[in-house]
Amino acid sequence: MPVPPKAALVLYGKPKVDEAWLTGFLTALSGPLATALENARLYSLLEEKERQRAELLKAWLRAQEEERARIARELHDEVGQALTGLILGLEGLPGERALALKELARFTLAEVRRLALDLRPSLLDHLGLEAALVRYVREFADRTGIEVDLSFHLRQPLPKELETVVYRVVQEALTNVARHSGSPRAAVGVLEAEGEVRVFVEDEGRGFDPRAVGPGHQGLLGMRERVELLGGRFLLESAPGEGTRVQIRLPLEVVA
Ligand SMILES: Nc1ncnc2c1ncn2[C@@H]1O[C@H](COP(=O)(O)OP(=O)(O)O)[C@@H](O)[C@H]1O
Ligand SMILES: [Mg+2]
């Protein structure tokens, strides 16, 4: 759609060239010039909006992580302790009923721990990414029966923001493996190369056509958003019958 001209071209002084030619030339120029100016204005407006959106999203994600950590802590500490107390209390009681109740309490405790782990493991904040991933992968394998090969090679601990993103991507990608791939195996890799952290999660499952994912699916989108917010790249390779490979690359120098 043509943009209506909003710029004026004002000329000072006496031109030495033929006036008719100059007028023609300038008239011809003013249209595209006005369009270019208008485009530049719209572009900078868009850039400003995009910057605001990214800021907002970052703040929101940060708040979400803090909230999750708080709930996970309370679940683990308060609820976990109460359940542990209950189990101990039921220990000495005789009868079938007591045994069944103890079983129920044990099961609930395991669920509560799993929930806390899913929300945000305190391990991630205290012992770092590798410990948190080892634990997550083990719990994932136990729960789903999917065998996961984890290889982790980083020379130094990552900045906190990167650790969170890597953890969330692995978590989401593995959840997809369990939910959609039908694969009995998955591989997860975290390594460092050329000033980047590179992470991949792959399976040998049924695969899918990435272009055919309709609206209402937030997992892949969410991963991409998180990664791009930190200046990284999100790559998805999949095709029906060919398994799926999710890859991310994050610059180690974070521009927070
Ligand atoms: N590892 C995978 N194997 C097979 N299909 C997948 C895999 N990961 C994602 N998909 C497909 O991509 C879709 C979108 O995934 P996602 O955005 O995480 O949303 P959701 O998991 O909520 O459906 C899934 O519904 C599924 O069809
Ligand atoms: Mg998903």
Side-chain angles (χ1 to χ4, degrees):
M1 195 176 70
V3 179
K6 284 199 185 121
L9 211 59
V10 183
L11 222 65
Y12 293 98
K14 257 192 167 348
K16 290 214 172 71
V17 289
D18 169 28
E19 295 234 5
W21 178 86
L22 189 65
T23 318
F25 173 68
L26 290 178
T27 311
L29 192 68
S30 63
L33 198 64
T35 309
L37 282 172
E38 181 61 6
N39 280 350
R41 193 184 67 84
L42 288 175
Y43 189 72
S44 76
L45 206 70
L46 203 66
E47 244 179 5
E48 175 59 18
K49 283 268 175 243
E50 174 53 29
R51 205 188 49 74
Q52 283 175 3
R53 191 192 71 97
E55 287 284 304
L56 209 64
L57 193 61
K58 258 191 193 171
W60 181 78
L61 282 171
R62 210 170 294 140
Q64 189 194 46
E65 288 297 332
E66 277 165 21
E67 182 77 351
R68 283 180 174 184
R70 191 182 60 76
I71 300 173
R73 238 181 354 256
E74 273 181 28
L75 268 181
H76 192 272
D77 298 354
E78 308 292 323
V79 185
Q81 242 169 47
L83 284 167
T84 308
L86 190 65
I87 294 167
L88 287 176
L90 289 166
E91 204 66 67
L93 293 185
E96 287 279 300
R97 200 111 185 237
L99 207 65
L101 284 175
K102 207 171 78 184
E103 264 316 292
L104 181 65
R106 276 228 178 87
F107 172 77
T108 313
L109 180 62
E111 270 302 283
V112 162
R113 290 202 170 132
R114 189 188 61 75
L115 264 177
L117 196 65
D118 240 24
L119 278 165
R120 185 172 175 100
S122 55
L123 270 182
L124 187 54
D125 297 312
H126 297 131
L127 288 179
L129 184 60
E130 184 171 12
L133 281 180
V134 166
R135 166 89 168 276
Y136 183 78
V137 159
R138 194 171 53 209
E139 188 274 334
F140 174 86
D142 285 348
R143 173 164 47 94
T144 62
I146 297 172
E147 198 185 301
V148 184
D149 175 50
L150 170 68
S151 75
F152 190 100
H153 300 284
L154 292 181
R155 267 174 258 142
Q156 69 230 353
L158 298 177
K160 189 117 173 175
E161 256 186 314
L162 291 191
E163 289 205 325
T164 299
V165 174
V166 173
Y167 187 80
R168 292 295 176 216
V169 166
V170 171
Q171 196 179 20
E172 177 60 36
L174 280 180
T175 303
N176 277 350
V177 173
R179 256 209 214 150
H180 310 295
S181 78
S183 175
R185 260 182 304 279
V188 176
V190 180
L191 55 105
E192 216 173 300
E194 295 168 33
E196 291 178 330
V197 198
R198 298 187 177 168
V199 180
F200 68 84
V201 177
E202 61 186 15
D203 65 65
E204 310 163 359
R206 66 176 63 94
F208 66 106
D209 177 359
R211 288 164 308 177
V213 176
H217 300 274
Q218 317 271 292
L220 295 167
L221 266 182
M223 285 192 250
R224 183 184 292 277
E225 280 287 346
R226 278 181 190 271
V227 169
E228 289 181 353
L229 271 180
L230 294 184
R233 285 202 297 150
F234 173 86
L235 308 154
L236 174 65
E237 291 164 59
S238 188
E242 309 215 338
T244 299
R245 182 177 167 94
V246 166
Q247 260 192 92
I248 65 169
R249 297 181 172 191
L250 290 160
L252 275 167
E253 298 295 324
V254 188
V255 231

